[in-house]
Amino acid sequence: MFAYYFKLGLRNLRRNPVLTALMVLTLAVGVAASVSTLTILHVMSGDPMPHKSDRLFVPIFNNGPLEDYSPGDEPNDDQVSYRDAINMLAAGPGERRTAMMGVGGSLQPERKDLTPFAVTGGGPTRDFFAMFEIPFRYGQAWSAADDKSGADVIVLTRALSEKLYGNDNPVGRRVRLEGFDFLVTGVIDTWNPIPRFHRIVGMGPFDREDEFFVPLTSAVRHEWNNYGSTNCTGNAGPGYQAFLDSECTWLQFWFELRAASERAALQDWLDGYAAEQRKLGRMPRKAHNDLYNLTEWLEHLKVVGNDNKLSAWLAFGFLLLCLVNTIGLLLAKFSVRAAEVGVRRALGASRREIFQQFLTETAVVGLVGGLLGLLLALGALSLISLQSKQLALVARMDWTMLAVTFLLAVAAAVLAGLLPTWRACQVTPALQLKSQ
């Protein structure tokens, strides 16, 4: 019976074509507006590593001075100092640990047709690649010995490798960066997490992509400045070593635990570490030491802002307005079919069967509206992606949102059709037959 009602619904699309076209267009516009906004929100609020996000943690210490501090005040920064990073790398718990700074400078290509150009990247430790499961196209990450010695080794992204060497394998060749020769140990394949969670402070969740990675120890040995956010609550003192020994926060740190259940043990270790540092005259505020897993970290940094959520609510409000208009159009369309309903009821059709038929026809309108709404949403997302590189990262539809589009359109149409369908079922057969 459902198949018959479905065919009947398709055939009835040609009945009252103007009303049908208005219903489909109204529904499609409402669905397109809500789905395109919801798609952007969905991508922005996505979990970039859902299978291990509960095992990746960011620690934050409140290591500012006592001046102007009140108990409960938030830390000055969402990064850690070099001294804390080195201590946690050396003795912290967990399966993997990495600290990371932003690095950048001038790169001098071997190719004669390329002039030196500026590049930016990251300075992590070797664990960074395994922790975030970064795929390699050629070669591999540098060794633990390279980390320890601060060797001049470099991992290129695929885009930078192709710019410098085309499709050749550059492993074993040397890249001249900031006047120093770096040995290429690997080329990572396409790795484009959204949001860019690994170095979000100072880089942004939807900003540029790192073009290369060198060991943190190498960047420090060359006394490179941090390409990113650096926060100092006091005078660090003269010289690079004084900066390293200061309480300035400029490094982002990640722990990877073997299981999420080890979180309490990690928190205890951080509290014990902070207590030890206080005995050494540091961290005078005696504040709580924060620990965020990956999803908590994105929420803490407000990757999805309130304005984005407000936009989504406004879009759904617009969809609600479109539904109200659709209800009016359905009432007009079904009212002219009272005679048809009367005849069917007189021939033995029950109100339930009439309800199923009309509701199925409404669902057919929803399907057609969903198809048109999908096309409109794709067009809207394409226009949005042209506005900036940041929007281009998030204005893309995946299979989940594709399914949501059709489900939303059909559900909206069925919801809008409940009242007109109920009104159609209230037709009294005798009165309708007498009026003919």
Side-chain angles (χ1 to χ4, degrees):
M1 188 61 73
F2 173 77
Y4 171 72
Y5 289 155
F6 187 80
K7 291 179 181 177
L8 203 60
L10 288 174
R11 190 179 304 167
N12 283 336
L13 287 176
R14 289 175 293 182
R15 180 182 289 183
N16 294 326
V18 175
L19 277 179
T20 302
L22 284 174
M23 282 189 294
V24 170
L25 186 61
T26 302
L27 198 59
V29 171
V31 168
S34 55
V35 166
S36 56
T37 309
L38 191 62
T39 296
I40 294 175
L41 192 64
H42 166 70
V43 175
M44 292 178 69
S45 59
D47 184 347
M49 299 194 74
H51 58 292
K52 65 187 306 185
S53 60
D54 61 344
R55 296 191 287 119
L56 297 173
F57 289 92
V58 175
I60 299 296
F61 300 108
N62 196 335
N63 65 341
L66 276 177
E67 289 80 8
D68 301 325
Y69 171 71
S70 298
D73 285 355
E74 294 294 323
N76 297 316
D77 193 22
D78 289 316
Q79 302 177 103
V80 298
S81 67
Y82 180 76
R83 191 186 308 184
D84 290 329
I86 293 301
N87 289 340
M88 288 190 288
L89 284 173
E95 186 175 10
R96 297 185 178 94
R97 300 176 295 278
T98 188
M100 187 167 18
M101 64 179 285
V103 292
S106 176
L107 188 146
Q108 186 174 346
E110 291 180 347
R111 291 169 50 181
K112 302 301 181 185
D113 59 328
L114 285 179
T115 57
F117 56 91
V119 289
T120 58
T125 65
R126 181 176 183 272
D127 278 356
F128 167 79
F129 301 98
M131 180 183 292
F132 298 130
E133 301 175 353
I134 299 176
F136 274 81
R137 187 183 188 198
Y138 300 120
Q140 58 189 353
W142 55 77
S143 66
D146 291 332
D147 260 342
K148 188 175 181 180
S149 64
D152 286 341
V153 289
I154 189 170
V155 169
L156 306 177
T157 60
R158 180 171 182 166
L160 182 58
S161 174
E162 290 178 348
K163 182 175 182 178
L164 294 174
Y165 304 104
N167 289 322
D168 295 342
N169 180 355
V171 173
R173 301 175 74 165
R174 291 190 175 274
V175 171
R176 193 161 186 78
L177 178 65
E178 281 290 278
F180 300 98
D181 287 332
F182 282 78
L183 176 67
V184 179
T185 65
V187 176
I188 65 174
D189 211 335
T190 303
W191 184 66
N192 192 26
I194 303 296
R196 303 193 195 287
F197 63 94
H198 59 287
R199 192 163 62 86
I200 201 169
V201 179
M203 181 179 177
F206 310 105
D207 209 336
R208 65 186 184 279
E209 182 181 7
D210 283 316
E211 298 174 280
F212 67 92
F213 297 96
V214 297
L216 170 65
T217 48
S218 176
V220 170
R221 184 170 62 80
H222 290 302
E223 299 187 356
W224 286 351
N225 293 323
N226 178 41
Y227 266 56
S229 172
T230 300
N231 182 55
C232 297
T233 54
N235 186 5
Y240 195 78
Q241 187 59 48
F243 173 68
L244 297 181
D245 295 336
S246 72
E247 297 295 338
C248 294
T249 51
W250 53 286
L251 289 160
Q252 294 175 57
F253 199 94
W254 288 91
F255 283 105
E256 180 183 348
L257 303 182
R258 294 178 180 83
S261 58
E262 296 177 0
R263 176 175 185 159
L266 176 57
Q267 182 70 61
D268 290 341
W269 186 90
L270 291 175
D271 294 341
Y273 169 77
E276 287 181 2
Q277 294 302 306
R278 275 193 285 275
K279 291 178 182 177
L280 298 174
R282 300 182 59 220
M283 302 185 186
R285 292 183 173 182
K286 299 181 181 179
H288 180 264
N289 308 299
D290 294 322
L291 188 63
Y292 302 96
N293 66 26
L294 176 52
T295 54
E296 292 169 346
W297 179 239
L298 298 178
E299 185 176 347
H300 169 70
L301 296 179
K302 294 182 171 54
V303 170
V304 181
N306 291 331
D307 51 342
N308 302 111
K309 296 177 182 176
L310 179 61
S311 298
W313 281 114
L314 289 175
F316 277 100
F318 180 69
L319 175 61
L320 183 62
L321 186 62
C322 292
L323 285 184
V324 172
N325 288 331
T326 304
I327 291 173
L329 293 170
L330 281 171
L331 284 170
K333 182 175 183 178
F334 288 171
S335 64
V336 300
R337 297 172 63 184
E340 173 193 335
V341 174
V343 171
R344 286 207 59 200
R345 290 293 313 280
L347 293 176
S350 65
R351 286 183 173 174
R352 180 181 178 182
E353 290 172 328
I354 299 295
F355 189 87
Q356 290 175 344
Q357 176 193 339
F358 277 58
L359 206 58
T360 304
E361 290 184 24
T362 305
V364 171
V365 173
L367 277 176
V368 177
L371 185 60
L372 182 59
L374 176 64
L375 296 176
L376 293 176
L378 290 173
L381 291 174
S382 298
L383 289 176
I384 292 172
S385 65
L386 295 176
Q387 304 305 310
S388 67
K389 291 183 178 178
Q390 290 86 349
L391 287 174
L393 287 173
V394 297
R396 58 183 188 181
M397 185 174 289
D398 55 17
W399 288 105
T400 301
M401 293 310 302
L402 190 67
V404 166
T405 301
F406 284 104
L407 289 176
L408 183 64
V410 174
V414 169
L415 185 64
L418 287 177
L419 177 61
T421 303
W422 179 81
R423 288 282 301 273
C425 294
Q426 305 309 308
V427 170
T428 304
L431 294 178
Q432 285 298 323
L433 293 176
K434 286 181 180 178
S435 64
Q436 298 302 312

